[in-house]
Amino acid sequence: MAARSGGCQGLEECVHSGVRYDDFRKRLVAAVLNAPGETPEAQRRAVLEQARETPGAKGNLPPALTHYVDTVARHAYKVTDADVATLQRAGQSDDSLFEVTVAAAVGAALHRLDRGMAALRGEEAD
C-alpha cells in the first residue's frame, strides 16, 4: 500500500499520530471562530467549548443559550421552532442563531471525534 501524501500509513499509525485530522481540525475551528459574523468570537468560542464538555455543563453563556447549545450538542433533532422563537424573543438574530448552531455542532463533533480516537487507542473515556 502506498503512503498517502501528507498523511499516515494505515489506521494504526493514524490513530497514534493524530496527524490525519490536526490540520483539518485547526482550519475548521478557525473558520467557525474567526469568520466574520454577528456573534462575537468570544461567545462562539464559549459555545464550541460548552458543546465539547460533559453534557449539561454550564459555561459562560447567557442562560437563554445554555439549553439550546446543550440540545444541539446532544440531540440536535429535538430542536423545535419554539426553541428558536424563544431565542429570537431574547434578542438573537437569525444570523447569530446560525453561528451559534454551527459552533455547537462543531464542538459536539470534535468531542465525539476525540472520544472515538481515544477508544481506538485503547484509552479510557473521560
Side-chain angles (χ1 to χ4, degrees):
M1 173 191 263
R4 296 178 198 158
S5 78
C8 47
Q9 296 179 26
L11 178 62
E12 187 71 20
E13 183 183 341
C14 287
V15 167
H16 292 290
S17 72
V19 170
R20 187 170 185 183
Y21 298 106
D22 282 345
D23 289 338
F24 174 73
R25 175 194 305 256
K26 288 174 187 172
R27 287 192 320 256
L28 177 63
V29 169
V32 169
L33 298 180
N34 301 325
E38 252 186 57
T39 310
E41 186 260 340
Q43 187 173 27
R44 284 187 258 178
R45 181 176 303 280
V47 167
L48 191 139
E49 291 302 321
Q50 180 176 321
R52 291 185 69 181
E53 297 293 323
T54 305
K58 302 296 182 220
N60 296 325
L61 295 176
L65 283 179
T66 301
H67 173 73
Y68 179 76
V69 169
D70 190 50
T71 302
V72 169
R74 293 178 55 197
H75 309 288
Y77 66 94
K78 291 184 178 181
V79 173
T80 66
D81 290 342
D83 294 330
V84 173
T86 298
L87 291 169
Q88 289 170 326
R89 283 191 300 275
Q92 298 290 322
S93 70
D94 288 344
D95 287 344
S96 178
L97 285 173
F98 174 77
E99 294 160 9
V100 165
T101 302
V102 169
V106 168
L110 292 175
H111 176 71
R112 289 179 180 104
L113 175 62
D114 291 342
R115 289 182 58 111
M117 295 301 287
L120 288 171
R121 289 189 300 266
E123 298 172 1
E124 300 250 344
D126 49 332

